[in-house]
Amino acid sequence: MKRLRNLAMVLIAIAGTTVNAQTEKLNELRADAQEAKSELLQADSDLRTFFDNAAGYVIFPNVGKGGLIIGGASGNGIVYENGNAIGKAGLKKLNIGLQAGGQSIIEVIFFETEDDLKDFKEGNFSFGAEASAVAVKSGVAVNAKYKNGVAVFALPKAGLMANASVGGQKFSYDGFESDMK
């Protein structure tokens, strides 16, 4: 009986450590997303209109892209609805074609309507092969428009890559528990 109790205590301690590590990683991602938002606004203050008026948006603060003929990208982000963080998103991309190099970018996807955001949250959202992001630089957002309910912007952080498309990206979404907001 004593062994069983000790085993239970060890399992509880391991579970607690795992939950703490996950919470710490999520808090770090949330802080990174807020920092990325600041960097985006510093690069082009006209993005404020998108942040203020979109039904929702997702910020991927660290998307890693790389490839030589076969390429890929991945990253994690925070989803916002009406300015409030509501969940975590994942981004994955695999493609074949003319490309070379590696790059780290900030990517933000704005959703024009509640239905567009709902499609994203329900997993009914991906980019077609022809989709591309607007490279963030001062003044570019003032003329940017939504296309099929979304507007996508990318801000390079480091590296150089000959391909800056977002086509073929797939996404996942996990909502936060109400006590984590």
Side-chain angles (χ1 to χ4, degrees):
M1 188 66 144
K2 192 173 187 176
R3 281 187 180 178
L4 186 57
R5 187 175 55 212
N6 287 343
L7 178 60
M9 295 298 284
V10 168
L11 292 175
I12 289 170
I14 290 171
T17 301
T18 301
V19 168
N20 287 340
Q22 289 174 342
T23 301
E24 188 175 309
K25 285 180 79 171
L26 181 58
N27 288 338
E28 185 177 313
L29 180 60
R30 290 175 87 159
D32 288 348
Q34 285 300 311
E35 185 178 325
K37 180 178 178 180
S38 295
E39 289 178 40
L40 288 161
L41 289 168
Q42 185 175 7
D44 188 348
S45 61
D46 291 323
L47 282 172
R48 171 74 55 205
T49 302
F50 281 92
F51 281 111
D52 290 346
N53 298 320
Y57 54 91
V58 57
I59 298 175
F60 295 97
N62 295 300
V63 177
K65 298 172 74 170
L68 182 61
I69 311 297
I70 297 174
S74 68
N76 292 312
I78 299 293
V79 180
Y80 297 84
E81 184 172 15
N82 299 317
N84 299 312
I86 61 165
K88 179 181 170 184
L91 173 157
K92 300 281 186 244
K93 177 181 178 181
L94 181 64
N95 57 2
I96 299 173
L98 185 58
Q99 58 193 317
Q103 187 176 40
S104 177
I105 65 169
I106 296 170
E107 183 174 320
V108 60
I109 304 168
F110 293 99
F111 303 99
E112 188 172 22
T113 68
E114 295 292 332
D115 285 339
D116 298 321
L117 178 60
K118 183 180 174 188
D119 284 345
F120 180 85
K121 293 190 304 187
E122 292 177 352
N124 302 324
F125 181 84
S126 63
F127 286 119
E130 76 290 345
S132 61
V134 175
V136 175
K137 56 185 172 188
S138 185
V140 75
V142 75
N143 294 318
K145 305 280 188 245
Y146 285 98
K147 183 176 180 181
N148 298 323
V150 298
V152 185
F153 296 88
L155 178 63
K157 294 172 69 173
L160 182 62
M161 188 148 178
N163 174 345
S165 72
V166 294
Q169 288 183 350
K170 303 284 186 202
F171 302 92
S172 61
Y173 170 76
D174 292 311
F176 293 147
E177 302 297 328
S178 60
D179 63 344
M180 294 202 52
K181 288 185 179 177

